[in-house]
Amino acid sequence: MPTVGLFNKEGQKVGDFQLNENVFGVEINEAALHQVVVALLANKRQGTQSAKTRAEVRGGGIKPWRQKGTGRARQGSIRAPQWIHGGVVFAPKPRDYKVSVPKTMRRVAMKSALSSKVAENELIVLESLELAAPKTKDVVNILKAFEAKKTLIVTAESNENVYKSARNIQGVAVLPVNNINVYDLLKYEKVLITKDAVTKIEEVYA
């Protein structure tokens, strides 16, 4: 079983914490990680971009000048793409970028992401993370204690005090455990996670 240190908010080790091998000690599947990250990023796209083709631009129903005899190139409409205010040749239209990934692959990718963090000593388990009030300085001191910069903080439940304390710190994000995803786990250099959040992950993925 993988074993990591259990720390308090001051960065002091208070004991050891055993992780479930079926969740935090699996073989890393890079193919599954790649496919799930691609799907997550694709599904974030709104797909609301739109531009008008020459058929949709207002005006341009009459030839700007006669076909022959003017000495100028023949033109059929002032809304042709080569004209200023003309239509766009291959105009983008609203579309759905959704990519589906099997549930089993998502589970494999999540376990691989968590296992990679343990293997690289980038997973820090906290005994607890309770703040009396929203205070950015408190979270800054916690990050300094662990020499963490680009960090994902994972809590067992939505914690408003922690969220408000960290939201103005560049490179730091706070997520409740039920909102974590593979992309965020891989994006941040270190993951600070509470002991209760680890237990919840193991209940779902073990």
Side-chain angles (χ1 to χ4, degrees), residues 2-206:
T3 302
V4 295
L6 184 64
F7 297 88
N8 59 21
K9 291 187 294 184
E10 289 72 37
Q12 299 166 341
K13 187 175 179 180
V14 295
D16 291 324
F17 188 76
Q18 283 194 335
L19 301 170
N20 191 313
E21 194 170 4
N22 295 327
V23 181
F24 294 92
V26 303
E27 185 180 349
I28 297 167
N29 189 326
E30 292 184 6
L33 286 172
H34 177 265
Q35 198 159 337
V36 169
V37 168
V38 168
L40 283 167
L41 294 177
N43 295 341
K44 281 185 176 182
R45 297 184 68 175
Q46 287 185 314
T48 54
Q49 74 280 26
S50 184
K52 291 182 179 179
T53 64
R54 61 183 293 169
E56 296 167 322
V57 181
R58 182 187 174 97
I62 190 172
K63 278 175 75 69
W65 52 76
R66 59 199 174 96
Q67 181 82 346
K68 293 178 177 289
T70 62
R72 290 181 286 186
R74 55 194 173 189
Q75 300 292 330
S77 170
I78 61 169
R79 294 297 178 249
Q82 73 270 22
W83 284 70
I84 296 173
H85 305 304
V88 177
V89 180
F90 298 112
K93 294 296 176 186
R95 57 173 287 196
D96 184 8
Y97 291 94
K98 188 175 181 181
V99 177
S100 295
V101 177
K103 186 177 180 181
T104 50
M105 182 174 284
R106 291 200 301 269
R107 288 179 67 89
V108 169
M110 179 61 78
K111 290 180 182 181
S112 294
L114 292 167
S115 298
S116 71
K117 288 296 174 186
V118 174
E120 294 167 14
N121 295 319
E122 293 176 351
L123 186 81
I124 300 166
V125 181
L126 297 177
E127 195 175 24
S128 65
L129 185 58
E130 294 298 328
L131 301 179
K135 197 170 184 182
T136 303
K137 190 175 180 181
D138 290 344
V139 175
V140 169
N141 290 334
I142 293 170
L143 295 173
K144 279 183 179 177
F146 294 104
E147 297 180 354
K149 292 181 180 178
K150 196 175 181 185
T151 306
L152 176 65
I153 301 172
V154 182
T155 56
E157 305 285 346
S158 293
N159 191 319
E160 193 173 352
N161 286 347
V162 176
Y163 171 73
K164 287 184 176 180
S165 300
R167 64 183 173 182
N168 287 334
I169 306 173
Q170 188 175 5
V172 176
V174 178
L175 288 175
V177 69
N178 58 339
N179 284 355
I180 62 171
N181 59 71
V182 174
Y183 175 69
D184 284 330
L185 287 172
L186 298 178
K187 176 182 174 183
Y188 293 92
E189 292 172 2
K190 289 192 177 180
V191 176
L192 260 67
I193 185 168
T194 62
K195 184 174 66 173
D196 294 338
V198 171
T199 304
K200 285 195 170 187
I201 289 174
E202 291 178 343
E203 287 173 359
V204 174
Y205 290 98

